[in-house]
Short mmCIF file of all heavy atoms in Angstrom, two decimals:
data_model
loop_
_atom_site.label_atom_id
_atom_site.label_comp_id
_atom_site.label_asym_id
_atom_site.label_seq_id
_atom_site.Cartn_x
_atom_site.Cartn_y
_atom_site.Cartn_z
N TYR E 215 -10.49 -41.56 204.55
CA TYR E 215 -9.10 -41.27 204.60
C TYR E 215 -8.77 -40.12 205.56
O TYR E 215 -9.61 -39.10 205.69
CB TYR E 215 -8.54 -40.85 203.31
CG TYR E 215 -8.59 -41.93 202.19
CD1 TYR E 215 -9.66 -41.97 201.29
CD2 TYR E 215 -7.55 -42.94 202.12
CE1 TYR E 215 -9.72 -42.98 200.33
CE2 TYR E 215 -7.60 -43.87 201.11
CZ TYR E 215 -8.73 -43.90 200.27
OH TYR E 215 -8.71 -44.89 199.30
N ALA E 216 -7.77 -40.21 206.37
CA ALA E 216 -7.30 -39.11 207.10
C ALA E 216 -6.91 -37.99 206.18
O ALA E 216 -6.35 -38.23 205.08
CB ALA E 216 -6.15 -39.52 207.97
N ASP E 217 -7.07 -36.71 206.64
CA ASP E 217 -6.73 -35.56 205.79
C ASP E 217 -5.25 -35.61 205.24
O ASP E 217 -4.94 -35.15 204.22
CB ASP E 217 -7.04 -34.27 206.52
CG ASP E 217 -8.56 -34.06 206.61
OD1 ASP E 217 -9.32 -34.64 205.93
OD2 ASP E 217 -8.85 -33.24 207.58
N SER E 218 -4.41 -36.15 206.16
CA SER E 218 -2.92 -36.14 205.85
C SER E 218 -2.51 -36.99 204.70
O SER E 218 -1.44 -36.84 204.16
CB SER E 218 -2.23 -36.50 207.19
OG SER E 218 -2.56 -37.82 207.56
N VAL E 219 -3.41 -37.91 204.33
CA VAL E 219 -3.09 -38.90 203.25
C VAL E 219 -3.98 -38.81 202.01
O VAL E 219 -3.77 -39.49 200.99
CB VAL E 219 -2.98 -40.32 203.82
CG1 VAL E 219 -2.09 -40.49 204.93
CG2 VAL E 219 -4.46 -40.86 204.11
N LYS E 220 -5.02 -37.96 202.13
CA LYS E 220 -5.97 -37.92 200.95
C LYS E 220 -5.27 -37.46 199.73
O LYS E 220 -4.42 -36.58 199.73
CB LYS E 220 -7.08 -36.83 201.29
CG LYS E 220 -8.16 -37.33 202.24
CD LYS E 220 -9.22 -36.33 202.55
CE LYS E 220 -10.28 -36.83 203.39
NZ LYS E 220 -11.31 -35.80 203.66
N GLY E 221 -5.54 -38.16 198.65
CA GLY E 221 -4.94 -37.88 197.37
C GLY E 221 -3.72 -38.59 197.09
O GLY E 221 -3.15 -38.58 196.01
N ARG E 222 -3.16 -39.16 198.18
CA ARG E 222 -1.87 -39.92 198.08
C ARG E 222 -2.04 -41.42 198.32
O ARG E 222 -1.32 -42.29 197.71
CB ARG E 222 -0.79 -39.38 199.08
CG ARG E 222 -0.51 -37.89 198.78
CD ARG E 222 0.71 -37.39 199.56
NE ARG E 222 0.40 -37.56 201.04
CZ ARG E 222 1.11 -38.23 201.88
NH1 ARG E 222 2.15 -38.98 201.45
NH2 ARG E 222 0.80 -38.33 203.18
N PHE E 223 -2.90 -41.73 199.18
CA PHE E 223 -3.08 -43.22 199.67
C PHE E 223 -4.45 -43.75 199.10
O PHE E 223 -5.39 -42.97 198.97
CB PHE E 223 -3.07 -43.36 201.12
CG PHE E 223 -1.73 -43.17 201.83
CD1 PHE E 223 -0.63 -42.57 201.16
CD2 PHE E 223 -1.57 -43.47 203.11
CE1 PHE E 223 0.59 -42.42 201.77
CE2 PHE E 223 -0.40 -43.33 203.80
CZ PHE E 223 0.63 -42.74 203.11
N THR E 224 -4.50 -45.03 198.78
CA THR E 224 -5.69 -45.59 198.28
C THR E 224 -5.87 -46.99 199.05
O THR E 224 -4.96 -47.85 198.98
CB THR E 224 -5.67 -45.93 196.77
OG1 THR E 224 -5.52 -44.66 196.07
CG2 THR E 224 -7.03 -46.52 196.40
N ILE E 225 -6.97 -47.12 199.71
CA ILE E 225 -7.33 -48.39 200.39
C ILE E 225 -8.20 -49.19 199.49
O ILE E 225 -8.99 -48.72 198.79
CB ILE E 225 -7.98 -48.11 201.74
CG1 ILE E 225 -8.09 -49.38 202.54
CG2 ILE E 225 -9.32 -47.35 201.61
CD1 ILE E 225 -8.56 -49.18 204.01
N SER E 226 -8.00 -50.43 199.50
CA SER E 226 -8.75 -51.45 198.71
C SER E 226 -8.79 -52.76 199.35
O SER E 226 -8.10 -53.06 200.34
CB SER E 226 -8.24 -51.53 197.29
OG SER E 226 -6.90 -52.02 197.26
N ARG E 227 -9.70 -53.64 198.82
CA ARG E 227 -9.73 -55.02 199.41
C ARG E 227 -10.17 -55.98 198.31
O ARG E 227 -10.86 -55.64 197.34
CB ARG E 227 -10.71 -55.08 200.56
CG ARG E 227 -12.19 -54.84 200.15
CD ARG E 227 -13.02 -54.61 201.44
NE ARG E 227 -12.99 -55.71 202.30
CZ ARG E 227 -13.33 -55.69 203.62
NH1 ARG E 227 -13.80 -54.54 204.12
NH2 ARG E 227 -13.35 -56.73 204.37
N ASP E 228 -9.71 -57.25 198.45
CA ASP E 228 -10.11 -58.34 197.50
C ASP E 228 -10.57 -59.47 198.50
O ASP E 228 -9.85 -60.26 199.01
CB ASP E 228 -8.93 -58.92 196.76
CG ASP E 228 -9.29 -59.87 195.73
OD1 ASP E 228 -10.36 -60.47 195.84
OD2 ASP E 228 -8.46 -60.09 194.83
N ASN E 229 -11.97 -59.41 198.65
CA ASN E 229 -12.55 -60.39 199.56
C ASN E 229 -12.34 -61.90 199.12
O ASN E 229 -12.32 -62.72 200.00
CB ASN E 229 -14.09 -60.02 199.76
CG ASN E 229 -14.23 -58.77 200.59
OD1 ASN E 229 -13.43 -58.28 201.22
ND2 ASN E 229 -15.43 -58.16 200.38
N ALA E 230 -12.30 -62.06 197.82
CA ALA E 230 -12.15 -63.38 197.36
C ALA E 230 -10.81 -64.02 197.82
O ALA E 230 -10.67 -65.22 197.90
CB ALA E 230 -12.33 -63.49 195.86
N LYS E 231 -9.82 -63.12 198.03
CA LYS E 231 -8.50 -63.56 198.45
C LYS E 231 -8.25 -63.25 199.90
O LYS E 231 -7.12 -63.43 200.43
CB LYS E 231 -7.41 -62.89 197.56
CG LYS E 231 -7.51 -63.26 196.16
CD LYS E 231 -6.43 -62.59 195.29
CE LYS E 231 -6.51 -63.04 193.88
NZ LYS E 231 -5.36 -62.40 193.03
N ASN E 232 -9.31 -62.77 200.63
CA ASN E 232 -9.11 -62.44 202.09
C ASN E 232 -7.92 -61.48 202.35
O ASN E 232 -7.21 -61.67 203.26
CB ASN E 232 -8.98 -63.73 202.92
CG ASN E 232 -10.33 -64.46 203.07
OD1 ASN E 232 -11.30 -63.96 202.69
ND2 ASN E 232 -10.34 -65.64 203.69
N THR E 233 -7.81 -60.50 201.52
CA THR E 233 -6.68 -59.56 201.57
C THR E 233 -7.07 -58.15 201.37
O THR E 233 -7.89 -57.85 200.50
CB THR E 233 -5.67 -59.95 200.47
OG1 THR E 233 -5.27 -61.39 200.56
CG2 THR E 233 -4.41 -59.14 200.65
N GLY E 234 -6.47 -57.25 202.10
CA GLY E 234 -6.71 -55.82 201.99
C GLY E 234 -5.38 -55.20 201.57
O GLY E 234 -4.31 -55.82 201.74
N PHE E 235 -5.51 -53.99 201.08
CA PHE E 235 -4.30 -53.24 200.54
C PHE E 235 -4.31 -51.81 200.98
O PHE E 235 -5.39 -51.17 201.19
CB PHE E 235 -4.27 -53.34 199.04
CG PHE E 235 -4.24 -54.77 198.52
CD1 PHE E 235 -5.50 -55.29 198.17
CD2 PHE E 235 -3.16 -55.51 198.41
CE1 PHE E 235 -5.52 -56.65 197.65
CE2 PHE E 235 -3.10 -56.86 197.97
CZ PHE E 235 -4.36 -57.41 197.57
N LEU E 236 -3.17 -51.21 200.95
CA LEU E 236 -2.96 -49.78 201.08
C LEU E 236 -1.89 -49.37 200.13
O LEU E 236 -0.69 -49.64 200.33
CB LEU E 236 -2.57 -49.40 202.53
CG LEU E 236 -2.46 -47.86 202.78
CD1 LEU E 236 -3.91 -47.24 202.68
CD2 LEU E 236 -1.87 -47.55 204.10
N GLN E 237 -2.31 -48.71 199.03
CA GLN E 237 -1.34 -48.12 198.08
C GLN E 237 -0.95 -46.77 198.49
O GLN E 237 -1.79 -45.92 198.67
CB GLN E 237 -1.97 -48.08 196.63
CG GLN E 237 -1.11 -47.52 195.58
CD GLN E 237 0.13 -48.31 195.26
OE1 GLN E 237 0.00 -49.63 195.16
NE2 GLN E 237 1.26 -47.78 195.17
N MET E 238 0.36 -46.61 198.73
CA MET E 238 0.90 -45.32 199.20
C MET E 238 1.72 -44.72 198.16
O MET E 238 2.78 -45.22 197.79
CB MET E 238 1.68 -45.58 200.51
CG MET E 238 0.85 -46.26 201.58
SD MET E 238 1.73 -46.38 203.14
CE MET E 238 3.11 -47.42 202.64
N ASN E 239 1.34 -43.56 197.61
CA ASN E 239 2.12 -42.84 196.61
C ASN E 239 2.55 -41.50 197.18
O ASN E 239 2.07 -40.99 198.20
CB ASN E 239 1.28 -42.57 195.37
CG ASN E 239 0.81 -43.90 194.70
OD1 ASN E 239 1.51 -44.84 194.69
ND2 ASN E 239 -0.39 -43.81 194.19
N SER E 240 3.54 -40.85 196.57
CA SER E 240 4.08 -39.61 196.92
C SER E 240 4.40 -39.52 198.36
O SER E 240 4.02 -38.62 199.13
CB SER E 240 3.05 -38.49 196.56
OG SER E 240 2.73 -38.50 195.16
N LEU E 241 5.15 -40.52 198.82
CA LEU E 241 5.45 -40.70 200.27
C LEU E 241 6.36 -39.54 200.73
O LEU E 241 7.16 -39.02 200.04
CB LEU E 241 6.10 -42.00 200.55
CG LEU E 241 5.20 -43.21 200.56
CD1 LEU E 241 5.89 -44.48 200.36
CD2 LEU E 241 4.32 -43.25 201.81
N LYS E 242 6.03 -39.18 201.97
CA LYS E 242 6.70 -38.05 202.67
C LYS E 242 7.51 -38.64 203.90
O LYS E 242 7.07 -39.62 204.49
CB LYS E 242 5.76 -36.92 203.14
CG LYS E 242 4.93 -36.32 201.98
CD LYS E 242 3.97 -35.34 202.52
CE LYS E 242 3.13 -34.79 201.37
NZ LYS E 242 2.10 -33.87 201.89
N PRO E 243 8.56 -37.95 204.39
CA PRO E 243 9.23 -38.45 205.63
C PRO E 243 8.25 -38.48 206.81
O PRO E 243 8.47 -39.39 207.62
CB PRO E 243 10.20 -37.28 205.85
CG PRO E 243 10.55 -36.85 204.55
CD PRO E 243 9.29 -36.82 203.79
N GLU E 244 7.26 -37.73 206.90
CA GLU E 244 6.30 -37.74 207.98
C GLU E 244 5.33 -38.95 207.92
O GLU E 244 4.66 -39.24 208.93
CB GLU E 244 5.42 -36.45 208.13
CG GLU E 244 4.76 -36.07 206.79
CD GLU E 244 5.59 -35.02 206.06
OE1 GLU E 244 6.86 -35.06 205.98
OE2 GLU E 244 4.97 -34.04 205.58
N ASP E 245 5.37 -39.72 206.82
CA ASP E 245 4.66 -40.94 206.70
C ASP E 245 5.36 -42.07 207.42
O ASP E 245 4.80 -43.19 207.48
CB ASP E 245 4.41 -41.29 205.26
CG ASP E 245 3.55 -40.31 204.59
OD1 ASP E 245 2.49 -39.93 205.21
OD2 ASP E 245 3.82 -40.06 203.38
N THR E 246 6.68 -41.91 207.82
CA THR E 246 7.38 -42.95 208.52
C THR E 246 6.73 -43.39 209.81
O THR E 246 6.42 -42.62 210.60
CB THR E 246 8.84 -42.40 208.83
OG1 THR E 246 9.54 -42.12 207.60
CG2 THR E 246 9.62 -43.48 209.58
N ALA E 247 6.46 -44.68 209.89
CA ALA E 247 5.71 -45.23 211.02
C ALA E 247 5.61 -46.78 210.80
O ALA E 247 5.93 -47.33 209.74
CB ALA E 247 4.40 -44.61 211.13
N VAL E 248 5.15 -47.41 211.90
CA VAL E 248 4.65 -48.83 211.71
C VAL E 248 3.30 -48.76 211.37
O VAL E 248 2.46 -48.12 211.98
CB VAL E 248 4.94 -49.60 213.13
CG1 VAL E 248 4.40 -51.01 212.95
CG2 VAL E 248 6.45 -49.60 213.51
N TYR E 249 2.96 -49.48 210.32
CA TYR E 249 1.59 -49.54 209.82
C TYR E 249 0.88 -50.82 210.18
O TYR E 249 1.45 -51.98 210.04
CB TYR E 249 1.53 -49.36 208.23
CG TYR E 249 1.82 -47.96 207.89
CD1 TYR E 249 3.01 -47.37 207.95
CD2 TYR E 249 0.80 -47.21 207.30
CE1 TYR E 249 3.25 -46.07 207.61
CE2 TYR E 249 0.94 -45.87 206.91
CZ TYR E 249 2.21 -45.30 207.02
OH TYR E 249 2.42 -43.99 206.64
N TYR E 250 -0.29 -50.68 210.66
CA TYR E 250 -1.13 -51.88 211.15
C TYR E 250 -2.43 -51.97 210.31
O TYR E 250 -3.05 -50.87 210.10
CB TYR E 250 -1.43 -51.73 212.61
CG TYR E 250 -0.25 -51.65 213.57
CD1 TYR E 250 0.19 -50.40 213.80
CD2 TYR E 250 0.21 -52.78 214.15
CE1 TYR E 250 1.31 -50.28 214.68
CE2 TYR E 250 1.35 -52.63 215.00
CZ TYR E 250 1.90 -51.39 215.28
OH TYR E 250 2.98 -51.25 216.11
N CYS E 251 -2.85 -53.16 210.07
CA CYS E 251 -4.20 -53.31 209.56
C CYS E 251 -5.08 -53.88 210.74
O CYS E 251 -4.55 -54.49 211.64
CB CYS E 251 -4.35 -54.19 208.31
SG CYS E 251 -3.95 -55.93 208.61
N ALA E 252 -6.39 -53.52 210.71
CA ALA E 252 -7.25 -54.06 211.78
C ALA E 252 -8.66 -54.22 211.18
O ALA E 252 -8.99 -53.66 210.21
CB ALA E 252 -7.31 -53.01 212.92
N LEU E 253 -9.44 -54.98 211.93
CA LEU E 253 -10.83 -55.36 211.54
C LEU E 253 -11.81 -54.97 212.53
O LEU E 253 -11.58 -55.05 213.82
CB LEU E 253 -10.94 -56.80 211.18
CG LEU E 253 -10.03 -57.41 210.15
CD1 LEU E 253 -10.37 -58.91 210.00
CD2 LEU E 253 -10.18 -56.69 208.85
N ASP E 254 -13.06 -54.61 212.05
CA ASP E 254 -14.10 -54.23 212.96
C ASP E 254 -15.40 -54.86 212.46
O ASP E 254 -15.59 -54.93 211.19
CB ASP E 254 -14.26 -52.73 213.11
CG ASP E 254 -15.34 -52.31 214.10
OD1 ASP E 254 -15.68 -53.11 214.95
OD2 ASP E 254 -15.99 -51.24 213.92
N ARG E 255 -16.30 -55.36 213.32
CA ARG E 255 -17.53 -55.96 212.80
C ARG E 255 -18.49 -54.96 212.29
O ARG E 255 -19.20 -55.26 211.31
CB ARG E 255 -18.20 -56.76 213.98
CG ARG E 255 -19.46 -57.44 213.74
CD ARG E 255 -19.39 -58.72 212.91
NE ARG E 255 -18.60 -59.69 213.61
CZ ARG E 255 -18.38 -60.88 213.15
NH1 ARG E 255 -18.69 -61.23 211.92
NH2 ARG E 255 -17.59 -61.79 213.91
N LYS E 256 -18.57 -53.80 212.92
CA LYS E 256 -19.55 -52.75 212.46
C LYS E 256 -18.90 -51.51 212.10
O LYS E 256 -17.87 -51.16 212.70
CB LYS E 256 -20.58 -52.49 213.61
CG LYS E 256 -21.43 -53.72 214.02
CD LYS E 256 -22.47 -54.02 213.02
CE LYS E 256 -23.42 -55.17 213.47
NZ LYS E 256 -24.43 -55.46 212.47
N MET E 257 -19.42 -50.81 211.14
CA MET E 257 -18.96 -49.48 210.71
C MET E 257 -19.59 -48.49 211.57
O MET E 257 -20.80 -48.25 211.60
CB MET E 257 -19.24 -49.32 209.20
CG MET E 257 -18.71 -47.96 208.70
SD MET E 257 -16.93 -47.88 208.65
CE MET E 257 -16.56 -46.11 208.53
N GLY E 258 -18.71 -47.64 212.27
CA GLY E 258 -19.17 -46.49 213.03
C GLY E 258 -18.99 -45.26 212.27
O GLY E 258 -18.64 -45.24 211.06
N SER E 259 -19.05 -44.14 212.95
CA SER E 259 -18.84 -42.89 212.34
C SER E 259 -17.34 -42.52 212.19
O SER E 259 -16.55 -42.97 213.01
CB SER E 259 -19.52 -41.79 213.10
OG SER E 259 -19.00 -41.68 214.43
N TRP E 260 -17.02 -41.85 211.15
CA TRP E 260 -15.58 -41.41 210.89
C TRP E 260 -15.27 -40.13 211.67
O TRP E 260 -16.12 -39.28 211.65
CB TRP E 260 -15.36 -41.20 209.44
CG TRP E 260 -14.00 -40.86 209.03
CD1 TRP E 260 -13.49 -39.60 208.84
CD2 TRP E 260 -12.87 -41.75 208.95
NE1 TRP E 260 -12.18 -39.63 208.57
CE2 TRP E 260 -11.76 -40.93 208.67
CE3 TRP E 260 -12.75 -43.13 209.13
CZ2 TRP E 260 -10.53 -41.47 208.44
CZ3 TRP E 260 -11.52 -43.64 208.93
CH2 TRP E 260 -10.34 -42.86 208.55
#
């Protein structure tokens, strides 16, 4: 997680349903944005 969303957002996935999720709680005005999901073949460094 980015520091700005730690403790408020939760990322999860259900591979059986080919679906990912982002639960966003305690939303702030600075969270206003267009949100995109994306996929990568390999996990790199954070």
Side-chain angles (χ1 to χ4, degrees):
Y215 298 95
D217 289 341
S218 60
V219 306
K220 284 182 179 178
R222 299 189 298 121
F223 290 11
T224 302
I225 188 171
S226 61
R227 66 194 300 164
D228 186 341
N229 289 339
K231 297 182 179 180
N232 285 354
T233 305
F235 305 95
L236 184 68
Q237 178 67 46
M238 305 185 296
N239 299 326
S240 301
L241 283 163
K242 304 175 181 179
E244 52 262 43
D245 295 319
T246 296
V248 176
Y249 283 72
Y250 302 86
C251 69
L253 302 181
D254 183 28
R255 178 73 65 177
K256 298 287 186 179
M257 181 66 195
S259 60
W260 181 261

